[in-house]
Amino acid sequence: MVVIDALDECEQDGKNEILLCIQHHFVKLPGWFRVFVATMPEIPVLDKLKKFSPKYIEPDEEHKQESLDNILSRVVERISFRCLT
């Protein structure tokens, strides 16, 4: 599992190399490989990721200020449970 936080903030000189790498090369990764990306919902970023059919996690009011590590802990717990059953 790879976690990339603040993908929308990785732009330098008008180019987001990490986003381009994900867009062009992550499709080659094995199906069991998981990538969690945290980003603001900006259209250029979302457009480049849509071919992966991403699942969006949007915080509700209760979890709006929750840290990424807490959110990921819950997600990983759910995935681990599914893998065990």
Side-chain angles (χ1 to χ4, degrees):
M1 176 174 68
V2 171
V3 177
I4 301 171
D5 190 16
L7 180 61
D8 57 300
E9 296 178 21
C10 295
E11 189 172 304
Q12 188 173 20
D13 298 326
K15 205 170 187 184
N16 190 327
E17 295 287 345
I18 296 173
L19 179 57
L20 292 173
C21 177
I22 292 169
Q23 180 187 21
H24 297 293
H25 301 289
F26 278 33
V27 71
K28 302 170 192 171
L29 295 171
W32 53 263
F33 194 86
R34 295 290 182 250
V35 178
F36 293 92
V37 175
T39 184
M40 295 299 290
E42 297 178 2
I43 300 302
V45 173
L46 299 178
D47 279 349
K48 287 184 174 63
L49 298 176
K50 70 181 173 187
K51 73 177 178 183
F52 297 104
S53 302
K55 293 180 177 39
Y56 298 99
I57 301 171
E58 294 187 33
D60 53 23
E61 281 303 314
E62 181 182 343
H63 298 101
K64 202 167 216 160
Q65 297 301 317
E66 189 173 10
S67 64
L68 179 61
D69 60 330
N70 288 340
I71 293 170
L72 285 174
S73 293
R74 284 197 336 262
V75 170
V76 168
E77 187 176 300
R78 281 187 235 147
I79 290 171
S80 297
F81 179 75
R82 278 186 273 176
C83 290
L84 294 174
T85 58

